Amino acid sequence: MSADKAPVEKLPLATRKNVRDGWEAKKAALEATILGHLGVAWTFEVNPNLIYAYAEKDGYAFNSLGDCINAYFESFEWSLKSFIGNHGETGKNELNSVCTAHIITLLPSTKFSYCGSEVVDGKLCLVFHPNCLGTNIDHVAQDLSTALSTAPQPAGASSLSYVARHSIETDYDTKIQEMLTKVRTVLQNDKWAFEPDFEQLGDKLKNGGKDVRDDWQTNLGSFAKSYFESFVDALARDKFEEDELLREGLEEGVPNLVVRLRLVDKLESGYNRLVLDGGELVIETTPNNWGTNIHYACEKLVDIL
């Protein structure tokens, strides 16, 4: 069934009554609940006559159109609570800024097998497959983070998707300081720094081709942390804390006191490479090898000094 049907001209009386009692009577209270969650007023837009055009005879939407519509928006509210629980204020701000219209709609679409959500023209669209109205309603907004990541971004926004930025915030930003403190303690110099250059990493991974792992956005933060952790492990394994000569040699080779993570198009061999470049220690890998053998990335630290 196509997703471009015209709305029916008139709903049956029993259907109109169910729309009134099952949807319209509950709409304002549900909008108020969304306001409580997001701190910004959002409105619901839905054309019952259009939705009814996709109702299967004697099916849920056919017999209880208002209840069916309400179920989609209640499902969104339930998923929104879960989203906020996992993403906090950052997620709320992202939703409010990306969905500039602050409108939630319900529309047919063939983009999903049963249902899903996407951002179109600044509106958050809850969508159902034309053949599956009323099916798997609970799943309609279960992946809001992906909907936000694939949405057009406001002017001046980061080139990284929301999923990638959330990974950085939760898996890198909250944990890297402890590792950096350990490095500074071991090397007895509080000027050492890590430089992940996430924009460069994201650009390389996004445009790296079909062999790049498809979950790179969700692990961008955790994998970056792990690459730097391989440096920490190398310091411990080679006992830098106990050896002044090794510490001096490292500072001679890396006068800028920066450990950088960089993606390159190709390596001569192996999955990772450690190089001295421009006064920095650079951990290199390729988009295709992102996340492979991370913990061996710095195993040749002493060899290159």
Side-chain angles (χ1 to χ4, degrees):
M1 186 185 298
S2 68
D4 56 1
K5 283 188 171 185
V8 300
E9 291 187 8
K10 187 176 182 179
L11 295 174
L13 178 60
T15 301
R16 296 203 305 271
K17 182 178 184 301
N18 186 260
V19 169
R20 182 195 68 187
D21 298 339
W23 165 238
E24 292 174 352
K26 301 175 181 179
K27 178 182 175 184
L30 195 51
E31 286 178 338
T33 301
I34 301 303
L35 169 61
H37 291 325
L38 294 176
V40 175
W42 285 60
T43 57
F44 299 144
E45 282 187 357
V46 60
N47 182 351
N49 292 52
L50 173 63
I51 307 304
Y52 191 71
Y54 295 90
E56 182 180 357
K57 185 175 176 56
D58 294 327
Y60 179 31
F62 185 87
N63 293 326
S64 304
L65 180 61
D67 294 329
C68 181
I69 292 172
N70 185 66
Y72 277 102
F73 287 92
E74 282 192 342
S75 177
F76 164 74
E77 190 271 332
W78 182 263
S79 294
L80 178 62
K81 287 192 294 185
S82 176
F83 174 78
I84 293 173
N86 291 326
H87 296 255
E89 289 296 321
T90 300
K92 289 165 60 174
N93 292 337
E94 186 78 9
L95 193 57
N96 283 326
S97 63
V98 170
C99 301
T100 53
H102 298 155
I103 290 172
I104 306 168
T105 66
L106 179 62
L107 293 169
S109 172
T110 57
K111 292 183 179 181
F112 298 87
S113 298
Y114 294 100
C115 59
S117 54
E118 60 179 342
V119 179
V120 179
D121 296 331
K123 300 179 181 181
L124 180 62
C125 298
L126 310 180
V127 300
F128 59 89
H129 191 280
N131 296 335
C132 300
L133 176 60
T135 302
N136 286 4
I137 292 177
D138 290 348
H139 298 169
V140 71
Q142 68 176 2
D143 201 359
L144 287 174
S145 58
T146 297
L148 292 175
S149 289
T150 57
Q153 296 297 308
S158 168
S159 62
L160 294 170
S161 72
Y162 174 70
V163 169
R165 284 182 280 123
H166 179 65
S167 173
I168 294 167
E169 180 180 344
T170 57
D171 299 325
Y172 182 87
D173 291 345
T174 60
K175 301 172 182 177
I176 200 63
Q177 188 58 46
E178 181 180 350
M179 286 175 48
L180 187 56
T181 298
K182 184 180 296 186
V183 167
R184 291 169 173 174
T185 299
V186 168
L187 297 178
Q188 301 180 23
N189 190 325
D190 62 5
K191 294 182 180 180
W192 279 93
F194 294 144
E195 292 291 346
D197 197 358
F198 284 115
E199 297 283 344
Q200 188 265 353
L201 297 178
D203 182 66
K204 281 286 190 180
L205 290 164
K206 182 178 180 179
N207 299 295
K210 62 181 179 61
D211 292 328
V212 176
R213 56 189 302 156
D214 58 12
D215 63 348
W216 70 265
Q217 296 182 81
T218 62
N219 59 46
L220 186 60
S222 62
F223 280 8
K225 178 185 72 68
S226 293
Y227 278 107
F228 290 128
E229 193 170 20
S230 72
F231 173 67
V232 178
D233 292 343
L235 296 180
R237 182 182 60 249
D238 293 318
K239 297 181 171 55
F240 272 74
E241 188 169 19
E242 305 169 16
D243 197 321
E244 183 178 3
L245 182 63
L246 286 179
R247 295 196 300 274
E248 289 178 351
L250 183 58
E251 291 197 9
E252 288 174 2
V254 191
N256 292 349
L257 307 181
V258 169
V259 183
R260 184 175 298 277
L261 178 57
R262 182 166 67 199
L263 284 172
V264 295
D265 294 328
K266 183 171 62 174
L267 294 175
E268 292 182 3
S269 63
Y271 298 105
N272 308 291
R273 180 175 64 175
L274 195 61
V275 297
L276 300 176
D277 184 9
E280 299 179 347
L281 179 67
V282 184
I283 304 170
E284 293 184 336
T285 188
T286 65
N288 291 357
N289 291 326
W290 175 249
T292 303
N293 283 9
I294 290 179
H295 298 292
Y296 298 101
C298 293
E299 65 176 345
K300 295 183 179 180
L301 176 60
V302 173
D303 296 343
I304 68 168
L305 296 177

